Amino acid sequence: NKIRENEMIGHRIEQGSVKTTHQEKWLRLLKALGVSEEEIKNIDPKEGTRNYVAELSDIYSTAEWQVAAGAFASQGRSAIEEYQAVVALVKNNFTVNAKDLEVLTDVIGTASRYNNTNHILDKAVFDKEAKDLVWQGVSRQLEIRQEFLNSLERYLESI
């Protein structure tokens, strides 16, 4: 039972489902952006999001390790830029405070502190074949991300 309690640190159970601090931060941001409780309850993952997660999971779990390392490095480097752009967009178009933006700024801070992927790439790129595999991972991650962003754009245009 103690093991289960330790697993749940930082989480709580509400109405039969696990709630995390991360979820609560996203909810705070959505509410600050004017999304109603009802709209939040009715949110379903979109096909583009499901595809994005599935394709990245496939790379990380089934690809050669150099491909996965390339995808990981690419994703880490691009996340900081994307989140900074989203923060600027939200600040320029909505009335929000630092606490509302915490879910985004936390990611930027964490990624900035831990995103020294050069050491991963230095270890992965030791010959031409390995370099090609790393590049395949970088390229595939960027393609998957572009597909996701295109699907997001189509969705936003439809609402």
Side-chain angles (χ1 to χ4, degrees), residues 72-83:
F72 177 78
S74 175
Q75 185 176 12
R77 288 174 182 248
S78 61
I80 296 168
E81 299 295 326
E82 287 181 17
Y83 273 71

Side-chain angles (χ1 to χ4, degrees), residues 32-50:
L33 297 177
V35 180
S36 71
E37 290 278 342
E38 188 64 29
E39 289 171 309
I40 292 171
K41 286 180 185 176
N42 292 327
I43 291 175
D44 287 322
K46 305 299 179 239
E47 182 180 356
T49 304
R50 288 191 301 270

Side-chain angles (χ1 to χ4, degrees), residues 65-66 69 117-127 130-131 134:
W65 70 267
Q66 297 96 329
T117 55
N118 290 342
H119 68 284
I120 293 171
L121 296 177
D122 286 344
K123 291 185 183 342
V125 181
F126 47 82
D127 62 20
K131 184 177 184 178
V134 168

Side-chain angles (χ1 to χ4, degrees), residues 53-89:
V53 170
E55 291 193 44
L56 280 181
S57 295
D58 185 53
I59 289 173
Y60 293 139
S61 60
T62 64
E64 294 184 58
W65 70 267
Q66 297 96 329
V67 174
F72 177 78
S74 175
Q75 185 176 12
R77 288 174 182 248
S78 61
I80 296 168
E81 299 295 326
E82 287 181 17
Y83 273 71
Q84 287 173 334
V86 171
V87 167
L89 175 77

